[in-house]
Amino acid sequence: MKKILVMAALAICSFAKAQKGTILVGGNIGYTSEKSEFRFSEDKASTFTFSPKVGYQFHENWTVGGELSLSTSDVDNADVKRKDNKFRTGGFVRYTKSLGQTFSVFADMGVGFQTEKNKIYTNANNYVRYKGDGAYVDVTPALFINMKKGFGLNFSIGGLGYETLSFDDNGEDYSNFYFNFGKTFNIGISKNF
């Protein structure tokens, strides 16, 4: 009986060690606000973004998972008021290289689908709606700082990517390639369970 209890305790402990650090939960929240004045007009723009992700760390250096991004922006100027909503969903793969107990560098490659809905108000009661669907792929290198037991901060300064959108009703077809290292700065959080 003692042997069975000892074997069960060892199995539970080894199972707990095997599971430790295998689930990654993280994401970013962002907000930007811009205001410009020229002569007798004023332009305002604000954007809110929420981007969570969950992954499974199947190897010391490799993680795969799913990501989601919700973004809404409002533009208000003298002539036009506009509201844009963007939704992304896809998967990612992450390669991580540890630089010690506190620091790690990693690169995420994300691929998925996106949709964007725009409302452009021509006056107080009338608006025009546009809807577009497309795809994206991006690579984002970043730095991870381990604060305590797998909980930490992620820092990135840009990335590389390509995205497409094709709008309904014979609307425009949009494609964008971007390389924005040094132009953006993002801070996120993550936790390994």
Side-chain angles (χ1 to χ4, degrees):
M1 184 68 172
K2 284 183 184 181
K3 287 182 182 180
I4 293 174
L5 289 175
V6 169
M7 287 174 55
L10 287 173
I12 290 170
C13 290
S14 66
F15 180 73
K17 283 186 179 179
Q19 294 300 310
K20 184 177 180 185
T22 59
I23 301 296
L24 171 74
V25 177
N28 296 326
I29 295 175
Y31 177 77
T32 60
S33 178
E34 296 178 44
K35 180 180 173 183
S36 64
E37 295 178 9
F38 181 72
R39 294 189 183 161
F40 301 108
S41 67
E42 181 178 87
D43 296 344
K44 295 179 184 176
S46 62
T47 304
F48 175 77
T49 306
F50 175 62
S51 306
K53 61 174 55 179
V54 176
Y56 175 69
Q57 188 173 349
F58 65 91
H59 183 269
E60 179 180 314
N61 301 101
W62 291 96
T63 304
V64 295
E67 61 186 5
L68 191 69
S69 179
L70 305 165
S71 173
T72 182
S73 63
D74 292 310
V75 177
D76 186 6
N77 63 30
D79 300 327
V80 177
K81 292 185 181 187
R82 177 180 174 133
K83 183 166 183 74
D84 299 335
N85 292 309
K86 194 170 189 179
F87 175 75
R88 283 182 163 191
T89 184
F92 75 93
V93 62
R94 173 180 288 187
Y95 179 78
T96 305
K97 183 69 177 166
S98 177
L99 301 175
Q101 296 216 0
T102 305
F103 296 100
S104 298
V105 291
F106 66 87
D108 281 352
M109 181 177 150
V111 176
F113 299 100
Q114 64 182 357
T115 184
E116 184 173 329
K117 294 180 183 178
N118 305 327
K119 274 188 187 179
I120 301 172
Y121 294 88
T122 53
N123 60 39
N125 297 324
N126 296 330
Y127 61 86
V128 179
R129 239 182 234 216
Y130 298 99
K131 180 181 182 288
D133 297 315
Y136 73 92
V137 59
D138 57 22
V139 176
T140 307
L143 173 70
F144 173 75
I145 299 175
N146 187 7
M147 304 302 279
K148 185 177 182 182
K149 296 183 182 178
F151 175 79
L153 299 174
N154 303 317
F155 296 93
S156 67
I157 58 167
L160 170 71
Y162 179 76
E163 64 180 349
T164 64
L165 280 170
S166 179
F167 285 88
D168 296 343
D169 300 326
N170 294 321
E172 65 180 346
D173 289 336
Y174 166 84
S175 64
N176 179 30
F177 171 78
Y178 56 90
F179 180 81
N180 59 5
F181 288 104
K183 288 189 170 185
T184 63
F185 179 73
N186 293 309
I187 300 173
I189 60 169
S190 63
K191 169 72 175 147
N192 284 352
F193 293 97

